[in-house]
């Protein structure tokens, strides 16, 4: 019989993977998936506790998404998107604009999270160029922020472990401290603090706004940083500052969009917020096909509108832009949201999920516990009092991951942060079982 894992190790270069480690911990071979379970070759299963890299929403093998994909493949699988269009893209764009209640007015399609961020960054840059403010060329982002792995997206990301080696390639961008309450950059305590961590951003914008195009931020949850969940007051203040100093605001909801925080989009926790761009990807097709969108306001769109020879056109596009099959999967997913009342159902389970997570707080290694919607995380530390971390060498997160696999869990860690990022279709019984098992895994380490 073919040894699939061995052949994999021979030919494949996996993302975010040290091949030397993979020799002892080869990639898990998954044969099929149903609902929130992934099945291995021997019929064994793993709960898909991180939604297959934060993209699955309605569960695997969903009949309605499969049907939509099948129908679309029978009709039109792909067509170029410059000079041509198709109904799935038009319907999807219209529905996204309606869903954002006309905060945004135009939809630009691409095919993954990094590219929809690149599109927003380039649009912001060119907007100022087109409108005569050519000194506005730099960006602001948060320490530990994550916006993708392409060079442009890395330039505004703040995760040194991933990106430090490439730093000579980055374009100029300002970094400001992030509202990481557990390790507060101002050494203050919530809820007593007055969001003092906004001050560096305030000072920067006050002095440098004339050279800054945009600020990019992950609303409420900094995902790859380790599910850092921050006070919405910070986002409100940052948005107000961006407005005051005429700097575009780019909301990167690639991870948190499509219900993860309990609302369709995380920015809806602040209904008054004003932004120029919204980036969406991971959950958009419920994890079935790659797709992303950059939503822009009408003001931005107008900045590119004019006679061809004025050179205002946005010259950017990808071969698979607005792929009809991917758009059809996204439409099916939105329909499920509506007809199966996905958000309303999830809303009822969120308090239960959060209460159950509270039990983790007293475990000896748990330094911080944070949660919002269907996202929950614990930060493991060596010393609860000093918050000293385990460090890179100890590979504490990896240890949890290995033990998790034995308990049917996919606890893929972010450093020493263990998190759950559950599909919205998870049932109460499933959540209960996942939490019980996760608790035992973490407890077994202390
Ligand atoms: C994952 C992610 C991206 C990048 O998306 P890819 O599809 O992996 O390129 C960008 N921004 C945020 C907030 C993300 O979580």
């Amino acid at each position: 019989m073919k040894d699939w894992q061995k052949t994999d190790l021979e030919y494949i270069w996996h993302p975010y993977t040290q091949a030397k480690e993979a020799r002892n911990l080869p990639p898990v071979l998954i044969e099929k998936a149903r609902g929130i379970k992934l099945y291995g070759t021997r019929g064994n299963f793993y709960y898909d506790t991180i939604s297959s890299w934060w993209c699955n929403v309605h569960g695997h093998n969903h009949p309605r998404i499969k049907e939509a994909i099948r129908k679309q493949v029978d009709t039109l699988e792909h067509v170029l998107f410059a000079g041509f269009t198709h109904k799935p893209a038009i319907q999807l764009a219209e529905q996204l604009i309606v869903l954002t209640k006309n905060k945004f007015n135009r939809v630009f399609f691409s095919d993954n999270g990094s590219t929809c961020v690149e599109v927003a960054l380039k649009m912001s840059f060119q907007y100022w160029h087109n409108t005569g403010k050519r000194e506005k060329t730099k960006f602001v982002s948060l320490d530990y922020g994550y916006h993708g792995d392409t060079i442009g997206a890395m330039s505004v990301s703040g995760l040194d472990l991933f990106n430090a080696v490439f730093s000579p390639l980055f374009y100029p961008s300002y970094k400001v401290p992030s509202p990481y309450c557990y390790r507060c950059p101002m050494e203050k305590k919530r809820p007593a603090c007055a969001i003092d961590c906004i001050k560096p951003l305030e000072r920067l914008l006050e002095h440098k706004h004339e050279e800054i195009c945009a600020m990019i931020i992950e609303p409420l949850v900094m995902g790859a940083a380790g599910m850092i969940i921050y006070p919405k007051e910070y986002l409100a203040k940052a948005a107000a500052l961006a407005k005051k100093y005429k700097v575009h605001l780019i909301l990167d909801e690639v991870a948190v969009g499509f219900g993860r925080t309990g609302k369709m989009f995380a920015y809806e926790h602040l209904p008054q917020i004003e932004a120029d761009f919204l980036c969406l990807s991971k959950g958009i097709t419920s994890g079935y096909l790659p797709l992303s969108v950059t939503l822009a306001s009408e003001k931005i769109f107008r900045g590119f509108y004019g006679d061809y020879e004025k050179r205002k056109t946005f010259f950017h596009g990808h071969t698979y832009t607005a792929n009809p099959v991917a758009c059809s999967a996204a439409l099916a997913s939105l329909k499920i949201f509506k007809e199966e009342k996905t958000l309303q159902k999830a809303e009822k389970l969120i308090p239960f999920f959060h209460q159950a997570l509270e039990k983790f707080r007293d475990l000896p290694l748990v330094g911080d516990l944070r949660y919002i919607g269907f996202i929950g995380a614990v930060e493991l530390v060596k010393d609860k009092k000093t918050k000293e971390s385990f460090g890179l060498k100890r590979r504490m997160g990896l240890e949890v991951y290995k033990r998790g696999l034995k308990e049917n869990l996919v606890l893929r860690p972010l450093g020493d942060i263990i998190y759950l990022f559950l599909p919205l279709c998870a049932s109460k019984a499933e959540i209960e079982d996942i939490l019980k098992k996760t608790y035992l895994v973490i407890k077994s380490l202390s």
Side-chain angles (χ1 to χ4, degrees), residues 81 89-110 116 119-120 123 127 275-280 284 292-306 314:
F81 207 59
I90 299 167
Q91 279 175 305
L92 181 57
E94 188 176 24
Q95 290 187 23
L96 288 171
I97 297 305
V98 171
L99 265 180
T100 60
K101 303 194 174 63
N102 288 298
K103 255 188 213 299
F104 304 94
N105 311 85
R106 300 283 169 171
V107 179
F108 191 96
F109 288 92
S110 51
C116 73
V119 165
M123 278 181 176
Y127 173 89
D276 301 278
F277 298 96
L278 178 66
C279 301
L280 301 170
I284 193 167
S292 66
V293 288
T294 308
L295 272 60
S297 65
E298 190 63 19
K299 183 185 85 181
I300 300 292
F301 183 74
R302 287 285 136 197
F304 290 75
Y305 195 84
F314 187 56

Side-chain angles (χ1 to χ4, degrees), residues 143-345:
D143 285 341
Y144 312 121
Y146 177 77
H147 301 287
D149 288 347
T150 50
I151 307 276
M154 278 197 295
S155 301
V156 291
S157 293
L159 284 173
D160 272 3
L161 174 66
F162 299 172
N163 295 340
V165 62
F166 300 108
S167 59
L169 303 178
F170 298 166
Y171 53 72
S173 122
Y174 293 107
K175 300 283 182 305
V176 291
S178 44
Y180 185 1
C181 296
Y182 178 59
R183 300 184 186 277
C184 173
M186 318 306 272
E187 295 177 17
K188 299 254 168 130
K189 275 225 161 73
R190 284 294 288 167
C193 88
I195 316 287
D196 304 274
C197 57
I198 199 82
K199 288 198 178 126
L201 176 65
E202 190 165 17
R203 278 195 297 272
L204 175 72
L205 290 180
E206 189 188 335
H207 293 112
K208 305 277 186 189
H209 64 273
E210 281 173 358
E211 53 179 80
I212 296 175
C213 323
M215 170 171 195
I216 180 162
I217 190 165
E218 295 160 87
L220 303 190
V221 184
M222 299 174 69
M227 302 297 156
I228 296 173
I229 295 161
Y230 64 87
K232 58 183 179 191
E233 291 82 355
Y234 181 91
L235 184 58
K237 282 180 193 247
L241 285 170
K243 190 176 176 201
K244 177 175 171 190
Y245 289 108
K246 296 197 168 39
V247 160
H248 295 148
L249 183 64
I250 304 170
L251 300 177
D252 179 355
E253 294 220 15
V254 167
V256 291
F258 301 100
R260 304 300 178 180
T261 67
K263 299 202 184 278
M264 190 56 128
F265 303 115
Y267 77 75
E268 290 174 32
H269 291 273
L270 292 113
Q272 305 307 324
I273 197 171
E274 287 177 42
D276 301 278
F277 298 96
L278 178 66
C279 301
L280 301 170
S281 181
K282 290 185 170 109
I284 193 167
T285 64
S286 187
Y288 282 69
L289 287 162
L291 182 71
S292 66
V293 288
T294 308
L295 272 60
S297 65
E298 190 63 19
K299 183 185 85 181
I300 300 292
F301 183 74
R302 287 285 136 197
F304 290 75
Y305 195 84
D307 296 324
Y308 190 79
E309 68 277 14
K310 294 267 162 57
R311 293 170 172 266
K312 288 189 171 184
T313 311
F314 187 56
F315 285 106
H316 183 110
H318 300 279
T319 313
Y320 285 89
T321 284
N323 174 262
V325 187
C327 289
S328 295
L331 283 168
S333 172
L334 289 181
K335 205 162 171 197
I336 294 167
F337 264 107
K338 219 186 264 164
E339 291 176 7
E340 294 185 4
K341 299 197 182 350
T342 306
L343 287 175
Q344 291 90 323
K345 274 191 206 154

Side-chain angles (χ1 to χ4, degrees), residues 358-370:
E358 275 298 334
K359 266 217 324 234
F360 287 65
R361 203 181 281 284
D362 295 329
L363 283 171
L365 300 184
V366 172
D368 192 31
L369 167 71
R370 35 193 191 246

Side-chain angles (χ1 to χ4, degrees), residues 344-416:
Q344 291 90 323
K345 274 191 206 154
E347 201 177 351
K348 288 203 191 105
L349 291 177
I350 289 169
F352 166 76
F353 176 52
H354 293 179
Q355 262 164 30
L357 278 166
E358 275 298 334
K359 266 217 324 234
F360 287 65
R361 203 181 281 284
D362 295 329
L363 283 171
L365 300 184
V366 172
D368 192 31
L369 167 71
R370 35 193 191 246
Y371 46 73
I372 184 172
F374 263 27
I375 307 171
V378 291
E379 181 162 343
L380 303 183
V381 289
K382 201 151 128 190
D383 186 332
K384 266 178 109 140
K385 248 203 204 98
T386 62
K387 305 184 182 177
E388 189 193 341
S389 28
F390 284 102
L392 274 186
K393 208 160 159 56
R394 176 68 183 78
R395 307 303 315 273
M396 201 55 168
L398 185 67
E399 188 61 37
V400 174
Y401 176 66
K402 285 187 200 161
R403 292 186 191 201
L405 285 179
K406 290 195 185 126
E407 299 295 329
N408 315 88
L409 299 167
V410 183
L411 297 177
R412 193 186 156 80
L414 291 157
D416 292 337

Side-chain angles (χ1 to χ4, degrees), residues 110-155:
S110 51
D111 46 28
N112 65 69
S114 305
T115 51
C116 73
V117 165
E118 296 280 351
V119 165
L121 297 168
K122 282 176 73 175
M123 278 181 176
S124 171
F125 185 95
Q126 193 182 341
Y127 173 89
W128 295 116
H129 182 95
N130 285 1
T131 55
K133 298 254 167 43
R134 297 195 177 175
E135 60 295 343
K136 275 175 154 330
T137 55
K138 293 178 182 154
F139 294 90
V140 193
S141 57
L142 297 184
D143 285 341
Y144 312 121
Y146 177 77
H147 301 287
D149 288 347
T150 50
I151 307 276
M154 278 197 295
S155 301

